[in-house]
Amino acid sequence: MKQSFFNRRARHGFRVPAFPKNALQLAVLAMAASAGLQCNLANAQTPAPELKEVTVTGNPLGATDLIAPAAQYSGTGLLLRSKTTLGETLDGIPGVSSTYFGPNASRPIIRGLDGDRIRILGNGGAMVDASSLSYDHAVTSDPISIERIEVLRGPGALLYGGSAVGGVVNVIDNRIPREALFDEKGGIAGKVNLDLATGNREKGSGLLLETGTNRYALHVDVFNRETGDVKVPVSLACTKGGTATTANSICNSASKVDGGAVGGSVFFDHGYLGASMSTYRSTYGTVAEDNVTIGMKSNRVALEGEVRDLGGFFKSVKGQYSQTDYMHTEYEGATPGTVFKNKGSDFRLEAKHAAFGNLSGVLGFQSENTRFSADGAEAFAPYSKTSQNALFAYEEYATSWGRLSFGGRTESVKVQSLGNPLVAAFVPGSRNFNPTSYAMGALWNVKPGWQLTTNLAYTERAPKDYELYAFGPHVATRAWETGNAGLDKEKSTSLDVGANWKSGANTFTANAYTHYFKNYIALLNTGNTYGQENRALNPVDANGDGIDDNDPDNKILPEQAYTGVRARFVGFEASGNIRLLEGANKLDLALRGDMVRATNLNDGLPLPRIAPVRVGATLKWASGPWGSSLGFDHSAAQNRVAPGQRATAAYTLWNTAATYAVKVGPTNQLWYARLDNITNQLAYSATSVLTTTAFPKAPLPGRSLKVGLQASF
């Protein structure tokens, strides 16, 4: 028999990419599938026993009490916070903000660190795209397709490399099933998602089907989402088709996303072997330019397997391999412009060794290879090739009072500039780096319900290809970016101290941290300006209108250069839950808050785009099949800004949600509604390059009602 679909997926967490279908086609297909499968569901057996849910990204040994600060989001909780991008979906979690390049491109920021310091994974493997290269490049994962997200706050470099110096976001799906879903009689299960929203005229849909026996499992899914321009509380200028107009919406913020996946696994007595193929397609407005859209596509093939209960020195061995072919084209109107490509592969091997007394651990090897290219007028980075190999070890020692953890990682990284046959400014070159990282931590069970944790880490990160070799116009961020081929490794030391308390439904978690960088690679203003088209330094601009007087079509861009500086990040984050009412009616008060202060120690000035102090609270009520919530998130004014950056005003966003769960025949249905920004508050993000430089371009979305249905069978 199949396991309870909601419970199984909340436990394992699986993501859902898919093949293009529009919302109506998916709805018809879902209803037909549901009707046709009822005869199979009638043969269902007793559900398999539930396993305790664990967050695995922060601990490869599967411990339920984590030393490193981590959290997971799935089920109804993830559904109700899901937005159109991964960054906005996680924004507001203590310690997590977003880059917010409009509603279509947004990457998570963890504890003030963004870009390649945050590692985004797919099922623990590398997610190859171009999202860390530029704020207007989207992550190739849509929240409508995600089953669970795990967030590791603080350095994850020990297990996932120097690019995880700030944290890890692991997007999880079931494209490769890791355990049998049914018994020997077989069965079929599925899930349907449908939603509509008013603020951006969103129409979203998704369908997932799984079948198999105790010896094999098959998985197929599709999803689709379309949106229009996002409504905001202020009138904004817009030029479309050469016509200037104004509207209460973010110009050029519409989008269309679809995709799909097929995968499967075979199971044997002590493990599994599986494979999947997935595709992701997205077309969206860049927001920064009124007539520029991005057409993106990504195809990924993945293999995964594990052998358990080996009985020798190694208890189990798990291997993962993926290969990704990513490309996006930037269109000005209907005319193709710059084309970005990134092809890469990732191989990861982990082996858990047998326990030596109270000592248990995992040894691993990881290899990643990528080839990047950019062709067109806005190619600001050369063709490049990056290869990196790493060995790592993670160990835990159990004591009578808690656990100790320690380990290390050593890497070999080669970054090559291959130049560009059409751009003479890109000079071929090569750099080799050998980053090493060490970490240790402790968890102390002070008394029943109370735990104290501490983590100390030293991390080294090799510079990325664009940090070394960039030289060209980056119009989306209105800057001329210049790399530095002489950059050294980025070196940092971090300390995190935390406290956790739990008593029934009452919980409290707090973490204080400091992060010191000996060589923080920052993108800083130089005071120089460049001509966008002809790459001429300091063009003539006598009247200060931003136009080269010698070439009226050549816009002037300020130069920003990748520079190594000493830097310090200091912050605090806390969250908790108070059970106010117990019984048939339950009432909880959820509290949250965070702050981070980031300083360039070379000159004592703030680092750019750092989130202000934030606090929030939500009342949650539940009674039988009904649930509801009402809450707010307040962001203080951010006046501590880097030179050339605009300050942002304080704002408070109110939101409410309601759910109703009902069983109709063989189908479990969850109906939901969510109202965001109830008061239609005008707000600008302090962490967005769109709103902190030049003229504010994209406010946060205005009032929007979203309604939807999630049904499993």
Side-chain angles (χ1 to χ4, degrees):
M1 135 110 202
K2 70 174 183 125
Q3 301 171 26
S4 168
F5 193 79
F6 276 134
N7 292 335
R8 173 175 60 78
R9 303 191 73 77
R11 196 177 72 228
H12 299 290
F14 308 122
R15 166 188 161 198
V16 190
F19 303 105
K21 293 281 183 182
N22 63 43
L24 179 60
Q25 289 173 319
L26 279 174
V28 173
L29 179 59
M31 290 186 289
S34 178
L37 296 176
Q38 290 186 16
C39 58
N40 292 325
L41 295 170
N43 296 323
Q45 306 293 318
T46 303
E50 291 299 321
L51 300 177
K52 187 172 182 179
E53 185 176 274
V54 296
T55 301
V56 297
T57 303
N59 189 299
L61 301 177
T64 55
D65 294 327
L66 299 175
I67 299 176
Q72 72 85 28
Y73 301 89
S74 61
T76 304
L78 178 59
L79 181 69
L80 290 179
R81 71 174 306 117
S82 178
K83 301 289 182 67
T84 54
T85 64
L86 182 63
E88 291 307 293
T89 296
L90 298 178
D91 185 30
I93 295 170
V96 183
S97 53
S98 82
T99 56
Y100 188 66
F101 202 92
N104 302 319
S106 179
R107 223 172 178 270
I109 301 172
I110 300 179
R111 295 180 169 180
L113 298 169
D114 63 3
D116 272 295
R117 297 179 188 89
I118 304 302
R119 192 74 194 269
I120 298 180
L121 305 173
N123 300 305
M127 188 175 290
V128 178
D129 54 28
S131 63
S132 62
L133 177 68
S134 175
Y135 296 114
D136 64 322
H137 298 171
V139 176
T140 54
S141 178
D142 193 275
I144 196 173
S145 69
I146 296 172
E147 291 293 333
R148 190 173 90 221
I149 304 176
E150 296 175 348
V151 180
L152 174 63
R153 301 188 304 275
L158 192 65
L159 296 174
Y160 302 104
S163 291
V165 60
V168 177
V169 175
N170 194 9
V171 177
I172 303 175
D173 59 57
N174 195 36
R175 290 176 303 192
I176 300 178
R178 293 165 178 81
E179 68 175 34
L181 309 178
F182 307 93
D183 62 15
E184 67 277 1
K185 295 182 180 179
I188 193 164
K191 183 174 71 172
V192 178
N193 282 306
L194 299 170
D195 66 71
L196 299 169
T198 61
N200 58 357
R201 304 193 307 279
E202 177 180 345
K203 296 181 292 183
S205 56
L207 171 66
L208 179 151
L209 295 174
E210 291 178 332
T211 187
T213 68
N214 60 340
R215 287 300 180 184
Y216 76 91
L218 297 176
H219 169 107
V220 178
D221 64 72
V222 293
F223 69 85
N224 170 273
R225 177 175 54 79
E226 295 185 44
T227 71
D229 286 347
V230 175
K231 294 180 181 178
V232 292
V234 64
S235 181
L236 300 174
C238 182
T239 301
K240 288 189 175 182
T243 302
T245 184
T246 59
N248 285 83
S249 60
I250 301 176
C251 185
N252 195 30
S253 58
S255 68
K256 180 178 181 180
V257 176
D258 49 51
V262 58
S265 297
V266 294
F267 307 103
F268 41 91
D269 291 341
H270 300 288
Y272 69 94
L273 179 64
S276 70
M277 295 184 295
S278 62
T279 184
Y280 177 92
R281 301 288 188 272
S282 178
T283 301
Y284 63 92
T286 64
V287 176
E289 300 171 272
D290 293 352
N291 295 304
V292 175
T293 59
I294 287 180
M296 175 187 297
K297 62 180 180 180
S298 177
N299 297 316
R300 189 172 189 258
V301 177
L303 301 173
E304 185 177 308
E306 184 176 16
V307 181
R308 313 181 189 101
D309 306 321
L310 293 177
F313 176 77
F314 290 113
K315 295 168 53 179
S316 64
V317 177
K318 180 180 180 180
Q320 294 175 282
Y321 173 81
S322 66
Q323 186 168 324
T324 304
D325 187 354
Y326 168 94
M327 181 181 78
H328 83 247
T329 303
E330 300 183 353
Y331 295 87
E332 186 164 353
T335 305
T338 306
V339 178
F340 292 84
K341 296 180 180 180
N342 201 9
K343 297 182 179 181
S345 63
D346 169 62
F347 173 71
R348 184 179 180 89
L349 190 67
E350 290 184 1
K352 295 180 183 178
H353 66 70
F356 296 96
N358 293 337
L359 183 69
S360 59
V362 59
L363 307 176
F365 170 77
Q366 187 171 8
S367 178
E368 296 183 42
N369 296 276
T370 59
R371 292 186 70 98
F372 169 83
S373 67
D375 291 292
E378 296 181 21
F380 60 92
Y383 293 5
S384 64
K385 179 180 179 181
T386 302
S387 302
Q388 47 190 327
N389 298 293
L391 295 172
F392 61 89
Y394 177 86
E395 301 290 329
E396 286 192 357
Y397 184 82
T399 72
S400 59
W401 49 265
R403 298 198 319 276
L404 296 172
S405 69
F406 48 91
R409 181 184 181 99
T410 180
E411 301 180 60
S412 174
V413 182
K414 184 175 184 178
V415 186
Q416 296 175 269
S417 167
L418 306 179
N420 185 313
L422 300 178
V423 183
F426 292 139
V427 179
S430 180
R431 292 289 308 278
N432 292 285
F433 303 91
N434 295 107
T436 57
S437 300
Y438 310 96
M440 58 189 304
L443 182 148
W444 180 23
N445 293 307
V446 182
K447 60 181 182 179
W450 275 98
Q451 291 179 337
L452 297 179
T453 60
T454 184
N455 292 274
L456 177 65
Y458 171 78
T459 302
E460 294 183 346
R461 179 180 74 90
K464 299 295 291 185
D465 49 353
Y466 57 88
E467 292 172 327
L468 293 169
Y469 303 116
F471 187 74
H474 194 176
V475 179
T477 58
R478 299 182 182 180
W480 181 281
E481 294 191 6
T482 301
N484 180 355
L487 285 172
D488 193 6
K489 293 179 294 186
E490 189 175 74
K491 303 173 183 178
S492 63
T493 302
S494 64
L495 175 65
D496 179 290
V497 178
N500 303 285
W501 171 75
K502 181 176 176 60
S503 177
N506 300 295
T507 63
F508 172 76
T509 299
N511 288 85
Y513 60 88
T514 180
H515 214 133
Y516 171 77
F517 286 85
K518 184 178 180 180
N519 186 47
Y520 180 82
I521 302 175
L523 189 60
L524 302 177
N525 291 323
T526 67
N528 293 328
T529 55
Y530 277 76
Q532 176 184 332
E533 302 297 336
N534 61 14
R535 300 176 185 259
L537 180 62
N538 297 321
V540 178
D541 182 22
N543 60 5
D545 62 359
I547 302 298
D548 186 350
D549 295 340
N550 296 325
D551 183 2
D553 294 326
N554 182 15
K555 296 179 181 178
I556 295 174
L557 298 174
E559 183 188 35
Q560 295 182 341
Y562 288 99
T563 309
V565 300
R566 294 181 301 115
R568 182 180 61 233
F569 291 72
V570 178
F572 178 81
E573 58 208 19
S575 62
N577 187 80
I578 303 171
R579 175 60 55 87
L580 301 176
L581 185 63
E582 187 68 82
N585 292 280
K586 294 181 175 62
L587 184 64
D588 291 88
L589 175 63
L591 302 170
R592 55 197 171 270
D594 61 17
M595 63 81 64
V596 59
R597 186 182 179 93
T599 305
N600 179 343
L601 297 179
N602 281 20
D603 55 21
L605 297 173
L607 288 170
R609 293 179 295 280
I610 300 299
V613 173
R614 306 183 303 174
V615 295
T618 302
L619 275 173
K620 300 179 179 180
W621 171 80
S623 179
W626 293 94
S628 64
S629 65
L630 174 66
F632 71 88
D633 288 284
H634 174 77
S635 290
Q638 180 56 288
N639 297 311
R640 189 176 185 273
V641 298
Q645 180 179 324
R646 298 172 63 93
T648 52
Y651 60 84
T652 301
L653 303 181
W654 287 85
N655 59 80
T656 186
T659 61
Y660 177 69
V662 62
K663 185 175 179 62
V664 180
T667 304
N668 293 307
Q669 297 182 5
L670 178 67
W671 297 84
Y672 65 94
R674 187 185 76 208
L675 182 60
D676 294 321
N677 195 356
I678 297 173
T679 62
N680 205 32
Q681 170 74 53
L682 176 62
Y684 289 93
S685 169
T687 56
S688 170
V689 69
L690 285 178
T691 59
T692 57
T693 58
F695 299 99
K697 184 74 175 178
L700 295 177
R703 184 189 299 114
S704 179
L705 174 65
K706 183 175 183 177
V707 296
L709 166 66
Q710 184 181 86
S712 68
F713 48 88

